[in-house]
């Protein structure tokens, strides 16, 4: 009998939904939405699992940071300085359970070291404006080789790095010579024999083997003749094999169709996965679990959820469909 997994999806408008049985059945999570917001209407754009406490999750919304102690069934709002701003990324320190980081739009990064009792803004010099208005902090990534090194991806302001736990920051060189090349959607590190930094932008997946000083781009086939590029969103590395890489792909945002792109050789070659139902928009995010590396979850922006039990060799579509999904774990 296959092992059951809990899947959580964060939506725009309908909060968080969870499935305790790998996508067979779904329930809407209970969230204490502040009284002055419309009951039940809340935007979830970030989900993170604690690596320290079983069943503990964090969710970023436009009213603040939520935490769950029961695998996403119920959620409690944590007081923080982000009320009224969108939280786009959340990360938990790999060795400090009470240290939580979150990134927002308008662009800022906040950190607590006491589980949310007090917060401080991290002094990262993100641009106030970009070609799309206010930038968004889409990724916060602790380096698996050294947790004092923190990587931050910004849409649209490139990649930042701190090597002293967030006290000082370096804005890394531009990925390419076009503004859209600084539009960071996904960010991952492969800490294998040859460490690689990966970043997805609208025009593909970028790879750096020298800590972000230089980058090379791999683009995917366009879906339609008039497409400017083949749009890319989130990415994930297979937990037990960093040479297996997944990228969410589509014709635009939200797009009319999409694909799960997979590489099994560290990004040298790629193939679009054979999905049982054509996506109804760009494939957006992935969810993985180190305890069962072969179980992979993916979603389209417009509400389809796909699961794989064999590391991405084959996929099934979950029967339940949602509205706009902006977070997945």
């Amino acid at each position: 009998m296959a092992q059951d997994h809990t899947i959580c999806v964060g939506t725009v408008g309908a909060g968080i939904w969870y499935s305790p049985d790998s996508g067979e059945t779904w329930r809407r999570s209970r969230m204490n939405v502040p009284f002055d917001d419309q009951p039940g209407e809340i935007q979830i754009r970030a989900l993170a699992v604690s690596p320290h406490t079983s069943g503990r999750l964090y969710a970023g919304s436009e009213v603040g940071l939520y935490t769950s102690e029961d695998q996403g069934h119920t959620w409690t709002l944590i007081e923080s300085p982000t009320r009224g701003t969108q939280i786009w990324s959340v990360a938990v320190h790999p060795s400090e359970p009470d240290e939580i980081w979150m990134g927002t739009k308008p662009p800022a990064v906040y950190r607590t070291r006491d589980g949310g009792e007090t917060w401080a803004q991290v002094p990262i010099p993100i641009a106030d404006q970009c070609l799309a208005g206010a930038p968004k902090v889409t990724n916060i990534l602790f380096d698996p080789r050294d947790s004092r090194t923190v990587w931050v991806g910004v849409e649209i302001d490139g990649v930042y790095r701190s090597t002293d736990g967030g006290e000082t920051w370096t804005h890394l060189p531009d990925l390419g010579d076009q503004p859209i090349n600084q539009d960071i959607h996904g960010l991952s590190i492969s800490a294998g024999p040859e460490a690689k930094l990966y970043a997805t932008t609208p025009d593909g997946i970028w790879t750096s083997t020298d800590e972000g000083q230089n980058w090379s781009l791999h683009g995917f086939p366009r879906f339609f003749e008039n497409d400017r590029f083949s749009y890319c969103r989130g990415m994930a590395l297979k937990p037990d094999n960093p040479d297996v890489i997944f990228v969410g792909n589509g014709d635009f945002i939200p797009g009319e169709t999409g694909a799960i792109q997979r590489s099994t050789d560290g990004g040298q070659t790629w193939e679009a996965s054979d999905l049982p139902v054509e996506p109804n928009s760009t494939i957006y995010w992935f969810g993985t679990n180190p305890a069962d590396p072969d179980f992979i979850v993916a979603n389209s922006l417009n509400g389809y959820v796909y699961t794989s039990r064999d590391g991405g060799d084959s996929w099934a579509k979950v029967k339940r469909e949602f509205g706009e999904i902006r977070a997945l774990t």
Side-chain angles (χ1 to χ4, degrees):
M1 181 177 177
Q3 179 181 355
D4 275 334
H5 298 267
T6 298
I7 305 171
C8 293
V9 298
T11 70
V12 171
I16 297 170
W17 291 75
Y18 72 93
S19 169
D21 50 16
S22 305
E24 290 297 318
T25 61
W26 293 85
R27 294 183 63 184
R28 190 174 177 182
S29 299
R30 293 175 56 192
M31 307 185 75
N32 59 330
V33 180
F35 181 75
D36 56 348
D37 289 272
Q38 291 295 321
E41 294 187 6
I42 191 167
Q43 302 175 14
I44 304 297
R45 298 178 183 272
L47 286 167
V49 178
S50 169
H52 309 286
T53 304
S54 178
R56 179 178 295 170
L57 294 89
Y58 296 93
S61 74
E62 81 279 20
V63 298
L65 183 70
Y66 283 85
T67 184
S68 171
E69 300 291 338
D70 54 11
Q71 295 184 303
H73 296 204
T74 61
W75 296 81
T76 302
L77 185 63
I78 299 175
E79 290 298 323
S80 71
T82 60
R83 181 69 180 271
T85 63
Q86 296 175 350
I87 298 175
W88 280 70
S89 52
V90 178
V92 182
H93 194 284
S95 59
E96 300 292 337
D98 291 330
E99 185 168 332
I100 308 158
W101 291 45
M102 53 186 178
T104 65
K105 173 193 176 182
V109 176
Y110 297 90
R111 172 178 61 193
T112 178
R113 287 175 166 157
D114 53 18
E117 293 294 325
T118 59
W119 293 86
Q121 186 170 347
V122 176
I124 178 170
I126 302 172
D128 293 330
Q129 292 290 320
C130 65
L131 60 87
K136 315 169 185 73
V137 179
T138 51
N139 294 264
I140 300 172
L141 179 64
F142 289 97
D143 196 310
R145 302 163 297 177
D146 175 12
S147 61
R148 284 182 58 79
T149 298
V150 188
W151 305 81
V152 168
V154 182
E155 179 188 321
I156 304 172
D157 195 29
V159 180
Y160 290 81
R161 180 184 64 196
S162 172
T163 58
D164 55 11
E167 300 306 313
T168 61
W169 293 85
T170 300
H171 193 184
L172 297 182
D174 291 351
L175 282 70
D177 58 6
Q178 301 297 318
I180 203 169
N181 304 145
Q182 301 1 293
D183 188 358
I184 307 299
H185 291 162
L187 196 63
S188 294
I189 295 176
S190 169
E194 182 187 31
K196 296 179 182 178
L197 181 64
Y198 297 101
T200 53
T201 67
D203 53 354
I205 179 169
W206 296 78
T207 304
S208 173
T209 56
D210 58 4
E211 307 297 321
Q213 296 304 305
N214 295 279
W215 299 84
S216 60
L217 172 66
H218 176 87
F220 296 104
R222 293 184 300 170
F223 289 82
F224 304 110
E225 183 179 354
N226 293 330
D227 290 347
R228 289 178 53 206
F229 41 66
S230 191
Y231 187 92
C232 292
R233 196 71 201 187
M235 66 165 301
L237 306 181
K238 193 166 181 281
D240 64 339
N241 184 356
D243 283 339
V244 179
I245 309 167
F246 299 91
V247 168
N249 186 210
D251 57 318
F252 199 58
I253 193 72
E256 297 180 9
T257 188
I260 295 172
Q261 301 286 353
R262 184 179 67 150
S263 172
T264 59
D265 54 13
Q268 296 182 55
T269 60
W270 294 83
E271 185 176 4
S273 299
D274 184 15
L275 300 178
V277 177
E278 180 181 345
N280 60 351
S281 61
T282 289
I283 295 293
Y284 222 68
W285 295 124
F286 297 93
T288 63
N289 188 330
D292 186 359
D294 285 334
F295 189 78
I296 314 290
V297 189
N299 72 274
S300 74
L301 178 58
N302 281 345
Y304 287 5
V305 176
Y306 300 89
T307 61
S308 172
R309 292 187 178 273
D310 52 16
D313 289 341
S314 62
W315 295 84
K317 179 183 173 294
V318 170
K319 181 178 180 181
R320 179 70 164 83
E321 296 178 2
F322 301 88
E324 185 174 326
I325 298 177
R326 286 280 181 167
L328 174 71
T329 193

